[in-house]
Amino acid sequence: NIELNKNAYGFKNLEGNSKKSNQIVFLIGTDVVDDNLLISIFNAITLFCHNNKIKFIVKFHPRANKNFISQFRIEEADIFEKQIPFEVSNIEYKYKISLFSTSLIFEPNKSISLEKIIEKKLDKVNKNKFLLRKKHLRSFSDFEKIIIPSNLNNLFDLLK
């Protein structure tokens, strides 16, 4: 069970490694890329976690609907309440993984963006929206501390 802590460390500790855990957190939203692409990438990562006995929890964006959520290969017990902002969730984790969630700025040294992995698979229709979101995330201080693996194998090496 995961509980909400009103005194959660949130943005008070942008740099710290204050919570130690081996759990991975996936922050998933209906983003600027095709849902099927996002689903296939995250399903590959959750399969890797299952196969390697890596605990994870999924936090969907509040706008994510049931149809979108149902396409992921995850158990309901692995889903965190989507209405609670990640920064006040008090979830202990090793890494959090997302495409462009602004939550990646919180503890950036424990954040992984799927930017390069997904960018390689984009079609031209989605490219402009993608580039705007990419630019937005890069506008935050400490962005350079976010880990951005170039492919899934590099990501898997980090998670092992």
Side-chain angles (χ1 to χ4, degrees):
N1 258 349
I2 297 172
E3 297 177 8
L4 176 66
N5 180 347
K6 298 197 189 251
N7 295 318
Y9 56 109
F11 280 102
K12 294 178 204 164
N13 187 4
L14 291 173
E15 301 275 333
N17 219 349
S18 59
K19 301 285 184 175
K20 301 249 187 259
S21 174
N22 288 323
Q23 179 171 249
I24 306 300
V25 177
F26 298 109
L27 303 173
I28 304 175
T30 52
D31 226 307
V32 296
V33 299
D34 178 67
D35 286 352
N36 292 326
L37 175 58
L38 206 59
I39 291 163
S40 70
I41 297 289
F42 274 105
N43 280 341
I45 300 168
T46 57
L47 178 63
F48 173 84
C49 289
H50 276 298
N51 291 342
N52 289 277
K53 296 179 179 21
I54 298 169
K55 281 187 63 173
F56 66 87
I57 190 159
V58 179
K59 163 83 173 70
F60 286 99
H61 190 277
R63 289 192 306 257
N65 64 43
K66 287 181 182 179
N67 183 48
F68 176 72
I69 293 169
S70 71
Q71 296 180 61
F72 290 86
R73 293 186 200 128
I74 52 175
E75 301 295 322
E76 195 162 328
D78 295 327
I79 299 176
F80 184 74
E81 170 58 48
K82 66 181 186 173
Q83 300 303 330
I84 298 173
F86 172 77
E87 296 79 13
V88 298
S89 66
N90 215 32
I91 298 172
E92 294 186 19
Y93 64 98
K94 179 178 180 180
Y95 291 114
K96 63 185 167 301
I97 300 174
S98 186
L99 175 53
F100 289 134
S101 172
T102 50
S103 292
L104 293 175
I105 299 303
F106 165 65
E107 291 189 318
N109 55 319
K110 294 171 65 174
S111 298
I112 299 174
S113 172
L114 300 175
E115 170 191 308
K116 289 181 182 176
I117 295 167
I118 290 179
E119 188 169 18
K120 292 175 184 175
K121 299 176 183 289
L122 282 180
D123 59 26
K124 291 184 181 188
V125 174
N126 288 312
K127 193 76 163 191
N128 287 337
K129 286 182 184 179
F130 179 91
L131 293 174
L132 284 172
R133 273 302 271 161
K134 179 177 171 177
K135 185 176 180 181
H136 171 73
L137 188 62
R138 291 177 188 292
S139 69
F140 289 92
S141 62
D142 288 339
F143 165 81
E144 69 282 350
K145 294 178 183 173
I146 296 172
I147 303 161
I148 307 175
S150 57
N151 58 54
L152 283 174
N153 287 331
N154 291 147
L155 174 62
F156 297 157
D157 287 342
L158 283 169
L159 299 181
K160 290 179 185 173

Tab-separated table of all heavy atoms in Angstrom, residues 50-99:
chain	number	residue	atom	x	y	z
A	50	HIS	N	9.713	-7.104	-15.093
A	50	HIS	CA	9.140	-8.385	-14.648
A	50	HIS	C	10.175	-9.505	-14.757
A	50	HIS	O	10.380	-10.264	-13.814
A	50	HIS	CB	7.915	-8.763	-15.491
A	50	HIS	CG	6.647	-8.138	-15.036
A	50	HIS	ND1	6.091	-8.353	-13.798
A	50	HIS	CD2	5.810	-7.291	-15.676
A	50	HIS	CE1	4.971	-7.671	-13.694
A	50	HIS	NE2	4.784	-7.017	-14.808
A	51	ASN	N	10.826	-9.587	-15.909
A	51	ASN	CA	11.792	-10.660	-16.158
A	51	ASN	C	13.011	-10.590	-15.235
A	51	ASN	O	13.657	-11.600	-14.981
A	51	ASN	CB	12.256	-10.652	-17.613
A	51	ASN	CG	11.150	-11.064	-18.566
A	51	ASN	OD1	10.150	-11.664	-18.166
A	51	ASN	ND2	11.314	-10.727	-19.837
A	52	ASN	N	13.322	-9.391	-14.761
A	52	ASN	CA	14.490	-9.199	-13.900
A	52	ASN	C	14.112	-8.941	-12.440
A	52	ASN	O	14.955	-8.494	-11.657
A	52	ASN	CB	15.349	-8.053	-14.451
A	52	ASN	CG	16.037	-8.460	-15.725
A	52	ASN	OD1	17.086	-9.089	-15.689
A	52	ASN	ND2	15.436	-8.144	-16.867
A	53	LYS	N	12.854	-9.204	-12.129
A	53	LYS	CA	12.354	-9.064	-10.748
A	53	LYS	C	12.631	-7.679	-10.159
A	53	LYS	O	13.030	-7.544	-8.983
A	53	LYS	CB	12.905	-10.174	-9.871
A	53	LYS	CG	12.429	-11.547	-10.314
A	53	LYS	CD	13.001	-12.645	-9.459
A	53	LYS	CE	12.561	-14.045	-9.805
A	53	LYS	NZ	12.050	-14.378	-11.080
A	54	ILE	N	12.421	-6.655	-10.978
A	54	ILE	CA	12.574	-5.269	-10.540
A	54	ILE	C	11.178	-4.739	-10.211
A	54	ILE	O	10.291	-4.733	-11.068
A	54	ILE	CB	13.226	-4.402	-11.637
A	54	ILE	CG1	14.627	-4.929	-11.953
A	54	ILE	CG2	13.267	-2.939	-11.216
A	54	ILE	CD1	15.266	-4.316	-13.191
A	55	LYS	N	10.997	-4.301	-8.964
A	55	LYS	CA	9.705	-3.747	-8.553
A	55	LYS	C	9.472	-2.404	-9.233
A	55	LYS	O	10.404	-1.609	-9.385
A	55	LYS	CB	9.666	-3.547	-7.038
A	55	LYS	CG	9.404	-4.796	-6.245
A	55	LYS	CD	9.212	-4.472	-4.781
A	55	LYS	CE	7.978	-3.603	-4.638
A	55	LYS	NZ	7.560	-3.332	-3.269
A	56	PHE	N	8.211	-2.164	-9.600
A	56	PHE	CA	7.871	-0.865	-10.180
A	56	PHE	C	6.439	-0.494	-9.831
A	56	PHE	O	5.637	-1.325	-9.432
A	56	PHE	CB	8.068	-0.873	-11.703
A	56	PHE	CG	7.135	-1.786	-12.448
A	56	PHE	CD1	5.882	-1.352	-12.853
A	56	PHE	CD2	7.520	-3.087	-12.747
A	56	PHE	CE1	5.026	-2.200	-13.538
A	56	PHE	CE2	6.674	-3.931	-13.444
A	56	PHE	CZ	5.425	-3.496	-13.835
A	57	ILE	N	6.171	0.786	-9.983
A	57	ILE	CA	4.825	1.312	-9.813
A	57	ILE	C	4.583	2.294	-10.958
A	57	ILE	O	5.520	2.937	-11.440
A	57	ILE	CB	4.636	1.975	-8.432
A	57	ILE	CG1	3.161	2.275	-8.202
A	57	ILE	CG2	5.482	3.206	-8.272
A	57	ILE	CD1	2.812	2.441	-6.754
A	58	VAL	N	3.338	2.368	-11.409
A	58	VAL	CA	2.990	3.234	-12.528
A	58	VAL	C	2.080	4.351	-12.030
A	58	VAL	O	1.089	4.105	-11.349
A	58	VAL	CB	2.272	2.444	-13.645
A	58	VAL	CG1	1.895	3.358	-14.795
A	58	VAL	CG2	3.152	1.296	-14.125
A	59	LYS	N	2.431	5.566	-12.370
A	59	LYS	CA	1.622	6.742	-12.049
A	59	LYS	C	1.215	7.355	-13.381
A	59	LYS	O	2.032	7.876	-14.113
A	59	LYS	CB	2.452	7.714	-11.214
A	59	LYS	CG	1.931	9.129	-11.137
A	59	LYS	CD	0.872	9.303	-10.099
A	59	LYS	CE	0.474	10.753	-9.916
A	59	LYS	NZ	-0.252	11.324	-11.023
A	60	PHE	N	-0.075	7.229	-13.714
A	60	PHE	CA	-0.583	7.810	-14.950
A	60	PHE	C	-0.943	9.272	-14.740
A	60	PHE	O	-1.294	9.686	-13.628
A	60	PHE	CB	-1.828	7.050	-15.442
A	60	PHE	CG	-1.512	5.711	-16.026
A	60	PHE	CD1	-1.652	4.556	-15.280
A	60	PHE	CD2	-1.064	5.600	-17.338
A	60	PHE	CE1	-1.363	3.313	-15.814
A	60	PHE	CE2	-0.757	4.361	-17.880
A	60	PHE	CZ	-0.908	3.220	-17.111
A	61	HIS	N	-0.875	10.041	-15.821
A	61	HIS	CA	-1.304	11.436	-15.790
A	61	HIS	C	-2.804	11.471	-15.486
A	61	HIS	O	-3.540	10.580	-15.916
A	61	HIS	CB	-1.017	12.092	-17.156
A	61	HIS	CG	-1.218	13.566	-17.130
A	61	HIS	ND1	-2.449	14.147	-17.276
A	61	HIS	CD2	-0.329	14.571	-16.960
A	61	HIS	CE1	-2.323	15.460	-17.202
A	61	HIS	NE2	-1.045	15.744	-17.009
A	62	PRO	N	-3.271	12.471	-14.743
A	62	PRO	CA	-4.703	12.527	-14.402
A	62	PRO	C	-5.649	12.480	-15.606
A	62	PRO	O	-6.774	11.998	-15.491
A	62	PRO	CB	-4.846	13.867	-13.672
A	62	PRO	CG	-3.500	14.109	-13.084
A	62	PRO	CD	-2.518	13.532	-14.090
A	63	ARG	N	-5.207	12.928	-16.775
A	63	ARG	CA	-6.073	12.896	-17.966
A	63	ARG	C	-6.080	11.552	-18.685
A	63	ARG	O	-6.832	11.370	-19.638
A	63	ARG	CB	-5.668	14.002	-18.944
A	63	ARG	CG	-6.023	15.392	-18.468
A	63	ARG	CD	-5.875	16.417	-19.578
A	63	ARG	NE	-4.569	16.404	-20.185
A	63	ARG	CZ	-3.614	17.282	-19.961
A	63	ARG	NH1	-3.809	18.268	-19.124
A	63	ARG	NH2	-2.456	17.196	-20.559
A	64	ALA	N	-5.252	10.621	-18.263
A	64	ALA	CA	-5.203	9.304	-18.919
A	64	ALA	C	-6.533	8.580	-18.680
A	64	ALA	O	-6.989	8.474	-17.548
A	64	ALA	CB	-4.043	8.489	-18.381
A	65	ASN	N	-7.149	8.082	-19.767
A	65	ASN	CA	-8.438	7.401	-19.614
A	65	ASN	C	-8.256	5.888	-19.477
A	65	ASN	O	-7.178	5.351	-19.684
A	65	ASN	CB	-9.382	7.763	-20.765
A	65	ASN	CG	-8.870	7.296	-22.110
A	65	ASN	OD1	-8.368	6.177	-22.252
A	65	ASN	ND2	-8.999	8.142	-23.120
A	66	LYS	N	-9.360	5.219	-19.107
A	66	LYS	CA	-9.312	3.773	-18.848
A	66	LYS	C	-8.880	2.981	-20.074
A	66	LYS	O	-8.155	1.995	-19.950
A	66	LYS	CB	-10.683	3.280	-18.374
A	66	LYS	CG	-11.009	3.690	-16.969
A	66	LYS	CD	-12.361	3.147	-16.543
A	66	LYS	CE	-12.697	3.620	-15.149
A	66	LYS	NZ	-13.997	3.149	-14.702
A	67	ASN	N	-9.307	3.385	-21.260
A	67	ASN	CA	-8.926	2.674	-22.481
A	67	ASN	C	-7.410	2.732	-22.684
A	67	ASN	O	-6.774	1.730	-23.008
A	67	ASN	CB	-9.661	3.247	-23.691
A	67	ASN	CG	-9.336	2.491	-24.959
A	67	ASN	OD1	-9.375	1.274	-24.997
A	67	ASN	ND2	-8.997	3.241	-25.997
A	68	PHE	N	-6.827	3.893	-22.483
A	68	PHE	CA	-5.374	4.067	-22.610
A	68	PHE	C	-4.656	3.202	-21.576
A	68	PHE	O	-3.755	2.434	-21.891
A	68	PHE	CB	-5.023	5.550	-22.435
A	68	PHE	CG	-3.556	5.863	-22.451
A	68	PHE	CD1	-2.826	5.802	-23.632
A	68	PHE	CD2	-2.898	6.248	-21.288
A	68	PHE	CE1	-1.466	6.104	-23.654
A	68	PHE	CE2	-1.547	6.553	-21.297
A	68	PHE	CZ	-0.835	6.487	-22.485
A	69	ILE	N	-5.074	3.297	-20.334
A	69	ILE	CA	-4.440	2.566	-19.233
A	69	ILE	C	-4.523	1.052	-19.444
A	69	ILE	O	-3.575	0.323	-19.166
A	69	ILE	CB	-5.075	2.985	-17.883
A	69	ILE	CG1	-4.730	4.452	-17.585
A	69	ILE	CG2	-4.613	2.074	-16.745
A	69	ILE	CD1	-5.498	5.059	-16.421
A	70	SER	N	-5.645	0.590	-19.980
A	70	SER	CA	-5.853	-0.856	-20.148
A	70	SER	C	-4.904	-1.488	-21.167
A	70	SER	O	-4.764	-2.704	-21.210
A	70	SER	CB	-7.304	-1.135	-20.560
A	70	SER	OG	-7.538	-0.700	-21.887
A	71	GLN	N	-4.230	-0.679	-21.983
A	71	GLN	CA	-3.347	-1.208	-23.014
A	71	GLN	C	-1.928	-1.505	-22.507
A	71	GLN	O	-1.101	-2.026	-23.243
A	71	GLN	CB	-3.289	-0.245	-24.199
A	71	GLN	CG	-4.655	-0.115	-24.875
A	71	GLN	CD	-4.609	0.837	-26.031
A	71	GLN	OE1	-3.879	0.603	-26.984
A	71	GLN	NE2	-5.377	1.908	-25.939
A	72	PHE	N	-1.677	-1.188	-21.241
A	72	PHE	CA	-0.369	-1.453	-20.658
A	72	PHE	C	-0.390	-2.809	-19.971
A	72	PHE	O	-1.388	-3.193	-19.379
A	72	PHE	CB	0.007	-0.356	-19.652
A	72	PHE	CG	0.292	0.957	-20.314
A	72	PHE	CD1	-0.738	1.839	-20.608
A	72	PHE	CD2	1.582	1.299	-20.674
A	72	PHE	CE1	-0.489	3.047	-21.241
A	72	PHE	CE2	1.849	2.496	-21.304
A	72	PHE	CZ	0.814	3.373	-21.584
A	73	ARG	N	0.714	-3.523	-20.054
A	73	ARG	CA	0.831	-4.847	-19.433
A	73	ARG	C	1.271	-4.693	-17.979
A	73	ARG	O	2.432	-4.929	-17.634
A	73	ARG	CB	1.836	-5.694	-20.197
A	73	ARG	CG	1.362	-6.052	-21.583
A	73	ARG	CD	2.333	-7.027	-22.235
A	73	ARG	NE	2.159	-6.995	-23.664
A	73	ARG	CZ	3.127	-6.817	-24.533
A	73	ARG	NH1	4.369	-6.690	-24.127
A	73	ARG	NH2	2.867	-6.791	-25.819
A	74	ILE	N	0.317	-4.273	-17.162
A	74	ILE	CA	0.603	-4.068	-15.742
A	74	ILE	C	-0.585	-4.552	-14.922
A	74	ILE	O	-1.709	-4.612	-15.415
A	74	ILE	CB	0.876	-2.579	-15.427
A	74	ILE	CG1	-0.249	-1.692	-15.967
A	74	ILE	CG2	2.215	-2.136	-15.950
A	74	ILE	CD1	-0.141	-0.238	-15.612
A	75	GLU	N	-0.299	-4.889	-13.677
A	75	GLU	CA	-1.337	-5.310	-12.746
A	75	GLU	C	-1.933	-4.070	-12.081
A	75	GLU	O	-1.230	-3.080	-11.869
A	75	GLU	CB	-0.738	-6.221	-11.668
A	75	GLU	CG	-0.068	-7.467	-12.207
A	75	GLU	CD	-1.049	-8.408	-12.883
A	75	GLU	OE1	-2.182	-8.543	-12.383
A	75	GLU	OE2	-0.679	-9.002	-13.914
A	76	GLU	N	-3.199	-4.159	-11.735
A	76	GLU	CA	-3.844	-3.029	-11.075
A	76	GLU	C	-3.130	-2.649	-9.779
A	76	GLU	O	-3.065	-1.475	-9.409
A	76	GLU	CB	-5.318	-3.332	-10.801
A	76	GLU	CG	-6.092	-2.090	-10.458
A	76	GLU	CD	-7.585	-2.262	-10.604
A	76	GLU	OE1	-8.033	-3.026	-11.474
A	76	GLU	OE2	-8.294	-1.614	-9.826
A	77	ALA	N	-2.583	-3.626	-9.088
A	77	ALA	CA	-1.863	-3.370	-7.835
A	77	ALA	C	-0.604	-2.521	-8.052
A	77	ALA	O	-0.085	-1.927	-7.100
A	77	ALA	CB	-1.484	-4.691	-7.173
A	78	ASP	N	-0.114	-2.455	-9.283
A	78	ASP	CA	1.089	-1.680	-9.604
A	78	ASP	C	0.775	-0.248	-10.025
A	78	ASP	O	1.679	0.487	-10.422
A	78	ASP	CB	1.887	-2.362	-10.716
A	78	ASP	CG	2.435	-3.712	-10.293
A	78	ASP	OD1	2.768	-3.863	-9.094
A	78	ASP	OD2	2.529	-4.608	-11.146
A	79	ILE	N	-0.494	0.135	-9.971
A	79	ILE	CA	-0.903	1.477	-10.415
A	79	ILE	C	-1.148	2.362	-9.199
A	79	ILE	O	-1.895	2.005	-8.297
A	79	ILE	CB	-2.176	1.413	-11.283
A	79	ILE	CG1	-1.918	0.563	-12.534
A	79	ILE	CG2	-2.620	2.821	-11.678
A	79	ILE	CD1	-3.143	0.349	-13.404
A	80	PHE	N	-0.511	3.527	-9.203
A	80	PHE	CA	-0.691	4.507	-8.139
A	80	PHE	C	-1.815	5.460	-8.527
A	80	PHE	O	-2.014	5.761	-9.707
A	80	PHE	CB	0.618	5.286	-7.925
A	80	PHE	CG	0.561	6.255	-6.788
A	80	PHE	CD1	0.589	5.803	-5.485
A	80	PHE	CD2	0.461	7.608	-7.024
A	80	PHE	CE1	0.527	6.704	-4.421
A	80	PHE	CE2	0.412	8.509	-5.979
A	80	PHE	CZ	0.435	8.053	-4.675
A	81	GLU	N	-2.532	5.965	-7.550
A	81	GLU	CA	-3.644	6.895	-7.764
A	81	GLU	C	-3.206	8.064	-8.651
A	81	GLU	O	-2.301	8.823	-8.288
A	81	GLU	CB	-4.152	7.409	-6.409
A	81	GLU	CG	-5.135	8.542	-6.492
A	81	GLU	CD	-6.385	8.210	-7.294
A	81	GLU	OE1	-6.980	7.143	-7.059
A	81	GLU	OE2	-6.746	9.018	-8.174
A	82	LYS	N	-3.855	8.216	-9.793
A	82	LYS	CA	-3.394	9.208	-10.771
A	82	LYS	C	-3.706	10.651	-10.392
A	82	LYS	O	-3.094	11.572	-10.920
A	82	LYS	CB	-3.936	8.874	-12.166
A	82	LYS	CG	-5.418	8.989	-12.331
A	82	LYS	CD	-5.806	8.599	-13.754
A	82	LYS	CE	-7.284	8.843	-13.978
A	82	LYS	NZ	-7.640	8.636	-15.368
A	83	GLN	N	-4.632	10.871	-9.475
A	83	GLN	CA	-4.985	12.237	-9.097
A	83	GLN	C	-3.989	12.862	-8.111
A	83	GLN	O	-4.000	14.064	-7.903
A	83	GLN	CB	-6.400	12.268	-8.503
A	83	GLN	CG	-7.484	11.782	-9.440
A	83	GLN	CD	-7.549	12.541	-10.756
A	83	GLN	OE1	-7.213	13.716	-10.838
A	83	GLN	NE2	-7.948	11.854	-11.812
A	84	ILE	N	-3.146	12.058	-7.514
A	84	ILE	CA	-2.174	12.570	-6.535
A	84	ILE	C	-0.882	12.942	-7.261
A	84	ILE	O	-0.283	12.103	-7.930
A	84	ILE	CB	-1.884	11.512	-5.447
A	84	ILE	CG1	-3.170	11.198	-4.676
A	84	ILE	CG2	-0.782	11.993	-4.499
A	84	ILE	CD1	-3.040	10.050	-3.709
A	85	PRO	N	-0.446	14.193	-7.153
A	85	PRO	CA	0.806	14.587	-7.812
A	85	PRO	C	1.985	13.760	-7.296
A	85	PRO	O	2.080	13.482	-6.095
A	85	PRO	CB	0.969	16.066	-7.417
A	85	PRO	CG	-0.402	16.515	-7.037
A	85	PRO	CD	-1.086	15.310	-6.453
A	86	PHE	N	2.854	13.400	-8.194
A	86	PHE	CA	4.005	12.575	-7.823
A	86	PHE	C	4.816	13.207	-6.696
A	86	PHE	O	5.240	12.531	-5.771
A	86	PHE	CB	4.910	12.325	-9.041
A	86	PHE	CG	6.195	11.654	-8.658
A	86	PHE	CD1	6.216	10.300	-8.387
A	86	PHE	CD2	7.363	12.377	-8.523
A	86	PHE	CE1	7.388	9.669	-7.998
A	86	PHE	CE2	8.541	11.758	-8.141
A	86	PHE	CZ	8.545	10.396	-7.879
A	87	GLU	N	5.013	14.515	-6.772
A	87	GLU	CA	5.901	15.193	-5.824
A	87	GLU	C	5.414	15.133	-4.383
A	87	GLU	O	6.199	15.348	-3.468
A	87	GLU	CB	6.094	16.658	-6.253
A	87	GLU	CG	6.792	16.830	-7.570
A	87	GLU	CD	5.888	16.608	-8.782
A	87	GLU	OE1	4.641	16.550	-8.627
A	87	GLU	OE2	6.423	16.490	-9.890
A	88	VAL	N	4.147	14.852	-4.147
A	88	VAL	CA	3.641	14.736	-2.770
A	88	VAL	C	3.266	13.301	-2.422
A	88	VAL	O	2.671	13.037	-1.388
A	88	VAL	CB	2.437	15.683	-2.507
A	88	VAL	CG1	2.852	17.122	-2.677
A	88	VAL	CG2	1.252	15.328	-3.378
A	89	SER	N	3.632	12.371	-3.260
A	89	SER	CA	3.230	10.975	-3.075
A	89	SER	C	4.038	10.240	-2.019
A	89	SER	O	3.590	9.249	-1.480
A	89	SER	CB	3.354	10.220	-4.396
A	89	SER	OG	4.714	10.132	-4.778
A	90	ASN	N	5.239	10.704	-1.760
A	90	ASN	CA	6.144	10.049	-0.817
A	90	ASN	C	6.531	8.635	-1.258
A	90	ASN	O	6.856	7.785	-0.441
A	90	ASN	CB	5.558	10.027	0.601
A	90	ASN	CG	6.645	10.170	1.654
A	90	ASN	OD1	7.643	10.834	1.422
A	90	ASN	ND2	6.458	9.549	2.794
A	91	ILE	N	6.494	8.375	-2.552
A	91	ILE	CA	6.917	7.088	-3.102
A	91	ILE	C	8.443	7.021	-3.037
A	91	ILE	O	9.126	7.937	-3.494
A	91	ILE	CB	6.465	6.917	-4.574
A	91	ILE	CG1	4.949	6.944	-4.681
A	91	ILE	CG2	7.038	5.637	-5.174
A	91	ILE	CD1	4.444	6.984	-6.125
A	92	GLU	N	8.964	5.955	-2.490
A	92	GLU	CA	10.408	5.755	-2.483
A	92	GLU	C	10.787	5.050	-3.776
A	92	GLU	O	10.102	4.123	-4.206
A	92	GLU	CB	10.811	4.936	-1.265
A	92	GLU	CG	10.559	5.682	0.035
A	92	GLU	CD	11.071	4.949	1.248
A	92	GLU	OE1	11.924	4.054	1.103
A	92	GLU	OE2	10.610	5.284	2.354
A	93	TYR	N	11.875	5.481	-4.391
A	93	TYR	CA	12.232	4.941	-5.698
A	93	TYR	C	13.721	5.093	-5.984
A	93	TYR	O	14.400	5.937	-5.408
A	93	TYR	CB	11.430	5.648	-6.801
A	93	TYR	CG	11.748	7.128	-6.928
A	93	TYR	CD1	12.634	7.586	-7.892
A	93	TYR	CD2	11.170	8.056	-6.074
A	93	TYR	CE1	12.939	8.928	-8.012
A	93	TYR	CE2	11.463	9.405	-6.177
A	93	TYR	CZ	12.341	9.831	-7.147
A	93	TYR	OH	12.649	11.172	-7.246
A	94	LYS	N	14.190	4.247	-6.883
A	94	LYS	CA	15.569	4.330	-7.373
A	94	LYS	C	15.625	5.299	-8.545
A	94	LYS	O	16.478	6.170	-8.608
A	94	LYS	CB	16.053	2.949	-7.800
A	94	LYS	CG	17.460	2.925	-8.341
A	94	LYS	CD	17.885	1.511	-8.698
A	94	LYS	CE	19.302	1.473	-9.235
A	94	LYS	NZ	19.701	0.091	-9.568
A	95	TYR	N	14.709	5.105	-9.512
A	95	TYR	CA	14.589	5.984	-10.676
A	95	TYR	C	13.121	6.209	-10.985
A	95	TYR	O	12.287	5.343	-10.709
A	95	TYR	CB	15.206	5.342	-11.927
A	95	TYR	CG	16.695	5.199	-11.913
A	95	TYR	CD1	17.285	3.942	-11.896
A	95	TYR	CD2	17.528	6.312	-11.956
A	95	TYR	CE1	18.665	3.796	-11.903
A	95	TYR	CE2	18.905	6.174	-11.963
A	95	TYR	CZ	19.465	4.918	-11.946
A	95	TYR	OH	20.829	4.781	-11.954
A	96	LYS	N	12.844	7.351	-11.576
A	96	LYS	CA	11.538	7.562	-12.193
A	96	LYS	C	11.785	7.743	-13.683
A	96	LYS	O	12.785	8.341	-14.093
A	96	LYS	CB	10.784	8.723	-11.569
A	96	LYS	CG	11.429	10.069	-11.716
A	96	LYS	CD	10.622	11.106	-10.951
A	96	LYS	CE	11.345	12.404	-10.790
A	96	LYS	NZ	12.620	12.341	-10.108
A	97	ILE	N	10.875	7.181	-14.484
A	97	ILE	CA	11.042	7.169	-15.938
A	97	ILE	C	9.812	7.770	-16.587
A	97	ILE	O	8.674	7.417	-16.255
A	97	ILE	CB	11.243	5.729	-16.439
A	97	ILE	CG1	12.495	5.109	-15.806
A	97	ILE	CG2	11.315	5.698	-17.967
A	97	ILE	CD1	12.697	3.637	-16.131
A	98	SER	N	10.050	8.673	-17.527
A	98	SER	CA	8.962	9.323	-18.252
A	98	SER	C	9.508	9.833	-19.582
A	98	SER	O	10.719	9.758	-19.827
A	98	SER	CB	8.408	10.494	-17.426
A	98	SER	OG	7.275	11.055	-18.038
A	99	LEU	N	8.614	10.347	-20.389
A	99	LEU	CA	9.073	11.004	-21.610
A	99	LEU	C	9.448	12.442	-21.262
A	99	LEU	O	10.621	12.790	-21.202
A	99	LEU	CB	8.004	10.948	-22.711
A	99	LEU	CG	8.330	11.707	-23.998
A	99	LEU	CD1	9.683	11.299	-24.571
A	99	LEU	CD2	7.225	11.515	-25.013
